[in-house]
Every structure is written in structure tokens, then in C-alpha cells.
Amino acid sequence: MPKSSAPRLSVRKTFKLYIGGAFPRSESGRTYLVDGDNVALASRKDARDAVVAARKAQPKWAAATAYNRGQVVYRVAEMVEARRSEFKALGTAGDEVNAAIDRLVWYAGWSDKIAQVAGNANPVSGPFFNLSSPEPTGVVGVIAPPSLLGLVSVVAPVIVTGNTVVVVSGGPQVAVTLAEVLATSDVPGGVVNILTGHAAEIAPWLASHDDVNGLDLTGVDDPALAVELEQAAAGTLKRVRRAGTTDFTADPGLAPMTAFLETKTVWHPKGF
Amino acid sequence: MSDLRSLLHGLPGVDKVGVEARAAALGTRSVKTTAKAQAIDLAIRMVDLTTLEGADTPGKVRALSAKALRPDPADPTCPPVGAVCVYPAMVPVAFDVLKGSGVHLASVATAFPSGQAPLDVKLADTRDAVAGGADEIDMVISRGAFLAGDYTKVFDEIVAVKEACGPAHLKVILETGELATYDNVRRASWLAMLAGADFIKTSTGKVPIAATLPVTLVMLEAVRDYRAQTGRQVGVKPAGGIRTTKDAIKYLVLINETVGDDWLSPDWFRFGASSLLNDLLMQRTKLTTGHYAGPDYFTLD
């Protein structure tokens, strides 16, 4: 390429959605400006497509061994570590990036241990082994907080147990950068789908969607909207999580994981 | 019958690029709101609800037939499907459920899906299905004979099966995925219509390439031209690979733009499908309830 004396034009980035492992624009063609960046503005139909992608990916992700899912989440932590500078450039403090990486590693470790804690061998009055084991709920809609640590704190616990998620994020650049991390780690396409846009526009469609099994409202700021979403979710008996706290630096406990687990209990005869 | 050969080879060739571009262009139409609701109900009425598995049991066929009568038990305004399509052995089972309901009972016959059996076996197969209560017969042509250029054999077979059908409608499966070219599809369509087919059908659903929009376009043009020449109207049935409401609506647009209103009826156009019905029901539910539907709320078969 011949050298030019003219000043170089930098390539500006459009922050796009992350659906089924690809980075499409919104089907509506809409974009909005966030801090000077051009960001795709997701519509209800993007949410619909994301649910289809999440549903498609769910059985295989749930069938992967817990050990394998743990490795994959650990790999995400590795990739965030490698892209630390990108998150810093978006205004995320170094401490917060550290905390997000540590949180990913922490949840990665829980992958093959949660069954020992949330499951049980139950004593029953009969000659049976009676075993309860936690299983993933399915497809979970997540309204995520804008910060990196907040996002990681709501997405990692849901996927590590074998669910797939559709995330609506109000912090688009950070969320799409995390999507780029996910796309270059070993997370299968469709396990995490990220929509950037307005929760008030998209979340009601996820809440009433018959093919979404759970809803995490941690990132919903408006209490009236949260109540409305809870009511819409009740129509299909979704599991809904409304975390009271927004202090993501504190120990999250197991609730973010157990909120989206179903307990399966099997009886097995013994003593023959 | 050298005039049959010269007639079939005298048909104008199909412009492959043109027909594919035309079908693709018509596939981009956007059909919304009330028009979409009408299209979905029409598509449901056009479905030939099909189960053609070695593992079909009487119980499964009964369940499928009950679903054909009332596809959405939660919504009495949902219309029944056009027909149920089963193997000849399952015809009496389906007939018990469907008789008197107005939902037709179709049976594949003539050594479906390969068609590689002697003629008397094929005719016995057909008679059994009709005797069991089928009022529509889906026969397969001998692709081997067609591709070898033995048009007379294919023609005579269709005539013989048509006779064995008696009052039952005859749908002739061309298995376009095995015919290789659009020219062959056009020839096979004419051959089937000249031999007395009431419907021409794309595929068995048992080979990798099933119904496509361009192939259906070629067949629609054939039935249009055939009616213009002879005055007899023949129906079209794409089958296999049509799974979503979007696909189904593309076919309806294709009919409307190619042959017009006359074919926009379950009497003249059918979809051979099994999983399509659930997607139509989910889209219908979305329109009536205002929120997205999920597969958990509809029966699997």
C-alpha cells in the first residue's frame, strides 16, 4: 500500500447485538448514540430471535458435563483478563475488572459443586434411594445492570448451571465488549445472547414470552416496571428473581444460581 | 407414444436463473396483521398433517387425527386442517376418527417412497387404501423410468393407479429432488396432469432435497398453462421441508402472484407437513394473545 501524506482516518466501531454467536444489527435497523458511540437499538423481534437462539443452544449446553461448563466459564475469565485494556478504555476501573474476573472464576468453580449443595440424598421411610438433583430451568431472560461487574454477576450464575440467557443491557459498550470476549472464548453460540437497548421496550416481551422459563430483574431500576414484569411473567409461571441489593462487590451467595434451578427427585428401589 | 415424448420435449425450457430470482423476490413480501391472520388460517386449512414413519402406531395416528380436527384445543375459532396423510396400514385407524368430519384422509400408496415395485403391487396398495377409507391417494412416480426416458411406462402407471383410485383424488408425487432439473420438473408435471392427476406434489419428504419455492413456482406455472389449454384445473402440493409460518406465507404469495385466487383454497393447494402446523398455531396464538407463544404449550405430534 502506498504511503499517503494525508492523516489516517480511524475506523469507527458500531456496537452490535450478539445473537446465536453472531453480531447482527437490529432487525429494525435502528441505532442510538451512547456517549458518542453508535449502538444497535434492539427491538422485540430481536428479542424473539434471541430466544430462538437460546432455546436451540440450551439442550446441548445443559448436556455438557458440569466440569466442562466450569472450564468454559474459566476460559471467559482468561479472555477478560486479556482484554482488560478494552474495558478500561470504556471507563471500567481496574479494580472492577479484577472483581469481574474473580467472580467468573468463582462461578466456574461452582459448576461441578452446586449439585452437592443444592442436591441431596433424602432419607425416606422405605427401601429406596431418594435423590434430589438440581437441573437447569431452561432459557432465562436477564435484565442486566450497566456495569461490567453487575453484568458478569447476573450472567455467569445463570449459565454455569446449564441455562442459556437472553440479556438486555443498559450498558451497551461494556456488554458488547463482553460479547466479543464470549465469542472468542469457548462459549457455544446461543448460550449467551446480548441485546442493547431499552429495558422498558424489550423486557415486557421477554416476561410474557411462553418459551422463556425464568426472568432476572436485577438491572431494572424502575420499581413500577419491575412489578409490571413480574405480573407478565406470572402468566407462564416463570421463575423471577428480584435481587434486593445492587452492591456487586459483596459475596453473592448461592441465590443467583439456585434461583434458576429445578429440583428433580428420583426414587430408586434398593435392598433386593 | 412418440407424440407424448415430442409434447414433453416440446415444452419451453425453464429459465433457471429467472425462476430462482422470481421465487426469491416473491419471498421477500411482508404480510402483517389482519392479512397475516387470514394467511395463517388459510395455511392451517391447507395442511396435510402427515406422519410417515416406520414407528407410527395406531395411538399416534389417532392422536394426530384428533389434532387435525381441532388443532388448537384452547381456541375453538381455529379451523381444522385439510387432511391427514398416513401409510395405507394406518388408514382404518385414522378413518375411525375422521369419518364424517370434513377433514380428508390421504394415504400414500404405490410402494411409497421409492416407487420401486411391480405395478400389480402398487395397484393392490392403492385399492387397499381406498377400501380402508382414504379419499385421497398420494402416489409416487417411477423416477427410474422417467429419468430413463420411458415416459409411456410412467404415464400408463398413473392412468392405472387413477383407475384403481375410483372416486378418490389422486396426488402424483414427482419427487423433484431426484429429477435434477427444472425442465424435468415441468415435463413430469405435464406428464402427470395428462395422465389424469388431480394434484401434483413435489416430494415424498424422504430425500434430502424436498419442496423449494422455485420448484413450486415451475409446477404452478404448469398447472396454470395446463388449465389454459385444457380447461381442467389441477392442484399443487409442496411437501417436505416447510416448517415455519414464514415459509408457508411465501408459498401463499407465490400462488397469488402466479395462478391467482382460484388456487388459494384447500381444494387446490396443500402443504405436506408435520412440524409446520405447530409453528402456524404458535403464530396464531401470538396474534390472538399479543405475546410470543412457545412450543411447550402445543402437542408434539
Side-chain angles (χ1 to χ4, degrees):
Chain A
M1 200 177 78
K3 255 202 146 65
S4 161
S5 58
R8 185 183 166 279
L9 282 176
S10 59
V11 177
R12 290 193 63 198
K13 180 171 176 179
T14 299
F15 290 85
K16 288 181 284 190
L17 312 176
Y18 182 55
I19 298 174
F23 289 89
R25 292 166 199 278
S26 168
E27 65 76 40
S28 62
R30 301 179 305 174
T31 57
Y32 66 137
L33 278 177
V34 182
D35 304 331
D37 284 324
N38 214 11
V39 178
L41 181 58
S43 68
R44 69 173 167 91
K45 291 193 178 178
D46 294 313
R48 173 198 66 186
D49 295 347
V51 171
V52 170
R55 175 58 65 195
K56 193 162 167 238
Q58 204 270 331
K60 203 174 169 204
W61 179 239
T65 61
Y67 179 66
N68 181 235
R69 282 199 304 271
Q71 285 177 313
V72 169
V73 176
Y74 186 87
R75 171 83 177 146
V76 177
E78 287 177 9
M79 296 305 288
V80 175
E81 189 81 62
R83 288 182 181 242
R84 177 183 287 277
S85 60
E86 283 188 41
F87 287 105
K88 277 190 178 163
L90 292 170
T92 306
D95 282 351
E96 191 186 337
V97 179
N98 289 343
I101 294 167
D102 293 351
R103 178 91 5 119
L104 282 163
V105 172
W106 191 74
Y107 278 121
W110 270 110
S111 177
D112 56 359
K113 300 172 187 69
I114 186 74
Q116 286 92 304
V117 179
N120 196 33
N122 311 310
V124 290
S125 61
F128 298 97
F129 285 121
N130 186 274
L131 301 171
S132 293
S133 70
E135 300 206 334
T137 294
V139 174
V140 178
V142 172
I143 318 302
S147 69
L148 174 64
L149 182 57
L151 180 62
V152 165
S153 298
V154 290
V155 171
V158 181
I159 63 167
V160 79
T161 56
N163 297 297
T164 54
V165 289
V166 176
V167 181
V168 180
S169 173
Q173 291 97 326
V174 166
V176 175
T177 306
L178 184 69
E180 288 163 3
V181 166
L182 298 169
T184 50
S185 55
D186 296 326
V187 181
V191 169
V192 181
N193 304 278
I194 295 182
L195 306 173
T196 52
H198 307 306
E201 182 190 352
I202 306 164
W205 291 98
L206 289 176
S208 64
H209 199 307
D210 285 355
D211 205 22
V212 173
N213 306 106
L215 196 63
D216 186 326
L217 302 179
T218 304
V220 178
D221 300 326
D222 174 8
L225 176 63
V227 170
E228 186 195 312
L229 294 174
E230 282 181 319
Q231 286 169 345
T236 48
L237 305 178
K238 284 181 185 56
R239 295 193 179 281
V240 180
R241 176 168 176 261
R242 256 182 96 177
T245 174
T246 47
D247 175 18
F248 296 109
T249 55
D251 176 0
L254 301 186
M257 283 184 287
T258 54
F260 299 109
L261 290 173
E262 308 292 331
T263 301
K264 180 170 85 179
T265 298
V266 292
W267 296 64
H268 191 283
K270 70 174 179 185
F272 293 107
Chain B
M1 277 177 84
S2 64
D3 45 340
L4 178 64
R5 164 172 296 276
S6 56
L7 188 153
L8 294 179
H9 284 268
L11 291 168
V14 179
D15 169 6
K16 178 171 184 287
V17 174
V19 76
E20 285 173 0
R22 173 85 176 138
L26 291 175
T28 61
R29 294 278 175 87
S30 183
V31 178
K32 300 290 178 202
T33 62
T34 47
K36 185 177 182 186
Q38 283 179 18
I40 288 172
D41 278 11
L42 179 59
I44 290 174
R45 292 198 294 127
M46 285 175 167
V47 167
D48 274 12
L49 194 56
T50 304
T51 180
L52 297 169
E53 302 295 333
D56 286 347
T57 58
K60 183 181 174 191
V61 171
R62 264 193 295 274
L64 196 81
S65 304
K67 183 173 183 179
L69 296 175
R70 220 174 145 188
D72 187 354
D75 184 354
T77 64
C78 180
V81 304
V84 171
C85 183
V86 294
Y87 271 121
M90 289 295 158
V91 164
V93 179
F95 183 69
D96 272 349
V97 182
L98 298 175
K99 60 182 173 222
S101 67
V103 173
H104 295 286
L105 173 52
S107 170
V108 295
T110 72
F112 182 92
S114 69
Q116 302 280 25
L119 182 60
D120 50 347
V121 173
K122 293 182 178 181
L123 295 178
D125 202 12
T126 308
R127 287 194 196 99
D128 274 1
V130 175
D135 59 354
E136 298 180 354
I137 297 295
D138 289 25
M139 73 167 287
V140 286
I141 63 167
S142 302
R143 280 86 73 191
F146 179 87
L147 292 170
D150 195 350
Y151 299 139
T152 313
K153 183 182 173 196
V154 180
F155 185 92
D156 291 346
E157 265 188 11
I158 299 173
V159 170
V161 174
K162 172 73 184 163
E163 198 186 316
C165 282
H169 264 54
L170 178 64
K171 303 193 200 114
V172 177
I173 305 173
L174 310 179
E175 195 65 295
T176 53
E178 291 182 347
L179 296 184
T181 66
Y182 293 124
D183 286 347
N184 275 343
V185 172
R186 180 170 280 176
R187 283 184 199 126
S189 302
W190 276 84
L191 177 64
M193 292 187 291
L194 289 167
D198 298 301
F199 256 77
I200 49 175
K201 171 174 167 183
T202 60
S203 321
T204 59
K206 301 289 185 194
V207 299
I209 307 168
T212 64
L213 280 176
V215 153
T216 310
L217 178 56
V218 170
M219 290 167 65
L220 284 167
E221 286 171 351
V223 297
R224 179 193 64 195
D225 296 347
Y226 181 77
R227 189 178 71 166
Q229 279 196 17
T230 66
R232 188 168 81 89
Q233 186 166 344
V234 175
V236 177
K237 174 177 171 185
I242 307 167
R243 295 198 176 83
T244 64
T245 302
K246 229 174 207 171
D247 289 344
I249 290 178
K250 285 179 192 174
Y251 281 92
L252 296 182
V253 170
L254 205 63
I255 304 170
N256 194 47
E257 297 297 325
T258 312
V259 291
D261 270 354
D262 291 354
W263 268 267
L264 273 176
S265 139
D267 293 337
W268 300 109
F269 196 86
R270 294 279 182 78
F271 293 108
S274 42
S275 55
L276 169 65
L277 180 61
N278 269 11
D279 197 67
L280 287 165
L281 293 176
M282 281 196 274
Q283 292 293 323
R284 197 176 187 281
T285 307
K286 156 75 175 64
L287 288 175
T288 52
T289 63
H291 66 256
Y292 288 118
D296 291 355
Y297 297 83
F298 297 91
T299 56
L300 287 175
D301 292 312

